[in-house]
Amino acid sequence: MNGISDVDVINALRRQMTIAAARQAASAGNLANVDTPNYKAVDVTFADTLDAAQVATNPRHFGSMTNAGQVHTEVAQDAPARRDGNTVVLDQELLKMSRAAGDFSAAQTALAAKFRLVRYAINEGR
Amino acid sequence: MATLNAAISASASALSAERARIEVAVSNMANAESTRSANGEPYRRRDVVLTSDPVNSFDNALGQASATGVKVADIVVDQSEFQRRYEPSHPDADADGFVALPNVDQSEEMVDMLSAARAYQANLAAISMIRDLVAKALELGRS
């Protein structure tokens, strides 16, 4: 524990929220194009960025990645195309959206608890 | 938050595109028996061409995650053959007694309309999910 603000934890939670929001946006775009011929579904990729960031710094700093905005989208490979060349699967996109909403909600709850602790300390326990 | 706004714009663009598809399918069905139109020949069915349309080109330029919307690129006229029906008493019948009817297939239009309605529903669901997310994020600033 390093002080009351726990920057590492807050950064990690912030990153989780950013990624969940990006997932949500990518799936919304895929859903919007569910009937566009030759549209290829996109997916959010962040694993590479995460690995690169962790190698660059101390591996124990799990929340030290500051460039949480660097979330990329990429055309999903090996997705089977329909006859019109479109690779969007409606139910999978809706599933991804609710999963992202759950992740976001979890991170938000934890972050709110973290902030509550900080406020508790500021108010001297009142 | 910018990402979530882009997501809502993408879903909203899909709502209007799907509504355009339903409108076109409905007018095709309405004109399934129209043997005369402005240019003298029977009605020809229309078809909507959709194309993807990036809503937030700045994020796209940076290669970052952004939502992709959709727009109606064109409404094309189907140039396939007219149907022909033997009906000598019809005022538009030709010398052999055949009437040229619009190239509209009722079942095809119904299927198109259903798929557009389902896509509309899915996008509405997406919008309400994103709205919940925004509300949840704003809760951080409360109390």
Side-chain angles (χ1 to χ4, degrees), chain B residues 17-66:
Chain B
E18 300 300 342
R19 205 195 49 232
R21 279 180 69 202
I22 293 180
E23 278 171 9
V24 165
V26 164
S27 59
N28 284 344
M29 286 214 281
N31 285 289
E33 299 282 331
S34 305
T35 52
R36 293 174 199 177
S37 65
N39 60 2
E41 61 177 6
Y43 175 86
R44 283 187 181 277
R45 72 178 287 268
R46 264 71 167 166
D47 228 338
V48 176
V49 182
L50 297 178
T51 178
S52 55
D53 176 34
V55 284
N56 200 341
S57 48
F58 187 67
D59 273 355
N60 272 347
L62 294 174
Q64 291 191 5
S66 170

Side-chain angles (χ1 to χ4, degrees), chain A residues 31-47:
Chain A
L31 272 184
N33 286 286
V34 72
D35 283 318
T36 309
N38 291 318
Y39 176 83
K40 304 294 178 217
V42 294
D43 222 341
V44 171
T45 53
F46 75 101

Side-chain angles (χ1 to χ4, degrees), chain B residues 53-125:
Chain B
D53 176 34
V55 284
N56 200 341
S57 48
F58 187 67
D59 273 355
N60 272 347
L62 294 174
Q64 291 191 5
S66 170
T68 312
V70 66
K71 68 178 178 189
V72 177
D74 202 3
I75 294 182
V76 293
V77 176
D78 188 344
Q79 296 295 342
S80 61
E81 289 270 307
F82 289 124
Q83 299 175 45
R84 282 160 60 82
R85 191 199 293 159
Y86 185 67
E87 203 173 323
S89 60
H90 197 286
D92 291 327
D94 61 10
D96 300 329
F98 280 97
V99 185
L101 288 165
N103 50 356
V104 175
D105 182 5
Q106 298 271 7
S107 44
E108 199 179 322
E109 302 303 333
M110 282 307 293
V111 169
D112 215 28
M113 210 163 68
L114 275 179
S115 107
R118 286 284 173 266
Y120 193 94
Q121 246 176 347
N123 279 290
L124 269 185

